[in-house]
Every structure is written in structure tokens, then in C-alpha cells.
Amino acid sequence: MTIRLACTDDLERMMELYGEAREFMREQGNSHQWVDGYPSLHLVSDDVARRHAYVCTDEQGLVLGVFCLIPGDDPTYARIEEGAWLDDAPYSTVHRLATVGGGRGIGRFCLQWCLERVRNLRVDTHRDNVVMRHLLETMAFRRCGIIYTHNGTPRIAYQKVLSANEQNRNMEKTHEVRGLSSSLVRYVEQEVLPRYASFDKAHREDHARKVMDESMRLSAFYEVDVNMVYAIAAYHDVGLCEGRELHHLVSGRMLLADERLRTWFSADQLQVMKEAVEDHRASNRHAPRSIYGKIVAEADRVIDPQVTLRRTVQYGLANCPELDVEAQYVRFRKHLVEKYAEGGYLQLWIPESDNAGKLAELRRLIGDEDRLRTVFDGLYASELKGG
């Protein structure tokens, strides 16, 4: 079986599956879930348009299952009773999972696919949906409490949070299955990543690896060449060796000039890769020219508020050492407002990313200047001490 994004051509089959799922639930004694024609064609069409809907197909392309994987906060999860969520970290939610024949392992396959791409996953289901509850519990989802849908009906809430090691194992498995070249990995490790050692603290090898990991994770949602994604992410900032202002263009030029890359890629592929590297910069005024550019641009955002704030302080100290603490704060806040605040130039491109929720968190902090100054003072002092 394989999973792909749903398209409008799938709508008729998706609605058939939802109808079959309603009948199956009634046969199993669950007569209170998915009533009044839920989910409606309008809702399912919206899922497809928002790129939240996925279909599971067999080798012949027949759609066997359908579900939504939605990143970001679910408003119905803000209130939970008779328990608590496992954590408050960013998460994604599975909704509207339906399969042929009530199973055949398809639901498990769909949820496992989600866990190979999302570290923190939440799901809810009706108390009478014994089949779904059994599936979640056998897959080690934790029952967290009771939430309420938009119409006020209760649902049992589940959550599964993978450890970093579990997520890495899932990612490695996914890369292996999808054909990431081991020789390309060795070349990048030995010849490309060491170039980041001389850059400023905000753009060392750890940053490159985060962008590579996130690019690979996001690539799993799209029909793309994972080797191209991997190399693009590895090269995205190597042009910093000639300064920051034009580093995206220099990085693209360096990628295209690397003869060793012709071992793995055609001339046409390398041109797409060069453009993707050029397009990754947040301050670019044009949208990325391909899905590859959108993936690396989104991955490069890596909007972790604490990481973003520390990197901003680090950049100011490294590039404007003549500024005193007050001037450093002015530069720090100005950069954050221009880039991340409402109306800032940063744009997000991939809906499967966790960045939207994290950006909202960062914007709340930027809007609270007293708190922002306190955070700056702590980070500034820490960096001066070498922390």
C-alpha cells in the first residue's frame, strides 16, 4: 500500500468510503458517530483543497482508505476533561479516518505512516467506536481524557508522543524505503557539512542538519526525489563563505559547479536544485519556483521561538560587535518585527510543517515588549558568558 495527497478526482471514491464507514459503525453498535451525513462533500472538498486529505491505495491504485492529517492546534482540544494531554508541544491531528471493510490493517498502516512523519500525534473517537479505540490502544496511543466536538458531543482523546530516538528510527526507515543514496550521504557528511564549521554560531553544522532533517520529513508528504531534497538542504547555506547578503545565490552556484553531484543527478535535476537553493531565503520577494524550493524554504524557517531568539542575538553579536546592549536590543527587536510579526516578510509554504503554530507563539512574544526584553537580556548575558 502507498499513501498520497488526495485530489479532486478522488472525491467520489472518498465519499463512498465515508458512506461505507458509517454503515460499518452502525453494524458494530456505533450509531452516534458521523450522523447527518458527516463528513459532508463540502467538508471533504475543503480538506482536499487545504492539502490535509490523504488516500491509501493498493498496487493498482484503488483507494482503500482516507484520512486527514492536520498540523497545528485543534480548537476542540483546548478543553479536556477527566485527564490531560501528555504535553503542550506542537502537534498534528488525525481526523476522518475511514477504510474499506472496517480494516484489513489499513487503518494501522495509515496511522503508522503519520507517525513516520509527525512526532506528536493526537486523535479522538466516539466511545462506541470500539474498533478505533482498540486500534489506537494496540498502537500505544495514550488515553488522555474527554474532549468535545463543535456540536458539543464528547469524544475520547488519545495522544502518542515519540521520543527523539523513535522519530529518528522512523525517519531512517522512511529514507531507506524511499531510496536515499548511501553514497550521497557519505559525500555530504565528508565534503559538504564540514564547510559549515567556519560560519557564525547561528549557521553551523547543527543548523544545516536541522534543515536537512526537516526537509526530509516534509518531503515524505510529496512525490519528490529524496536525494534531490537531501542535497538541496545540505547546500542551502554553504554560500555564507562569501558573506550573508548574496549567500543564497552563491550557494546555488556552488551546488551547480560541484562535479561530484553529477554522479547522482542529471543536468536538469541540478538546475532545479540550484533554483531551490536560491529560493530558500526568507527575504526573497518571489515564491519558490518548485516544490523543492518550497520544502527547503519551509525547513529553513525551523521556527522554534527559543532557537530563533537565540540565533537573532548571536547574529547581532557576531556581525555588529560595536553595538552596546541597548543598540543590540533595538536591532534584535527590529529584525524580529520585520521578519516574524504580522505583515513581516517571512512566508510559509508547506501546510504539513509545524511552523504555523510556532510562528503564532513567537508573534505573541514579539507583541509583549516587556517579556521580549526580559528574554533578550537573559540570552544576551548567556551569549556573553559563552553559553
Side-chain angles (χ1 to χ4, degrees), residues 51 218-219 221-225 229 232 272 276 288-298 349-352:
R51 301 175 69 88
L218 295 177
S219 74
F221 293 97
Y222 298 89
E223 293 297 325
V224 293
D225 186 318
V229 172
I232 291 164
V272 172
R289 287 165 279 185
S290 70
I291 185 59
Y292 293 96
K294 290 180 179 179
I295 287 172
V296 73
E298 186 76 24
W349 304 107
I350 303 293
E352 293 81 7

Side-chain angles (χ1 to χ4, degrees), residues 147-193:
I147 63 95
Y148 294 85
T149 63
H150 291 294
N151 64 9
T153 58
R155 295 288 186 271
I156 301 174
Y158 291 86
Q159 183 177 12
K160 185 167 184 176
V161 182
L162 300 180
S163 69
N165 287 337
E166 288 173 320
Q167 186 180 36
N168 288 338
R169 285 196 295 271
N170 280 344
M171 189 177 293
E172 288 169 2
K173 176 183 175 184
T174 301
H175 294 174
E176 181 179 351
V177 169
R178 298 180 69 209
L180 183 60
S181 167
S182 58
S183 60
L184 175 62
V185 171
R186 285 195 297 273
Y187 177 66
V188 166
E189 291 283 341
Q190 296 170 6
E191 303 295 336
V192 181
L193 290 179

Side-chain angles (χ1 to χ4, degrees), residues 310 313 317 325 374-387:
R310 184 174 289 277
V313 171
L317 290 171
V325 62
T374 299
V375 171
F376 168 82
D377 288 341
L379 291 172
Y380 185 83
S382 173
E383 288 301 315
L384 290 183
K385 293 177 182 177

Side-chain angles (χ1 to χ4, degrees), residues 193-208:
L193 290 179
R195 304 181 196 182
Y196 286 82
S198 62
F199 300 157
D200 64 88
K201 289 177 68 175
H203 295 89
R204 299 266 171 89
E205 184 176 324
D206 62 333
H207 168 67

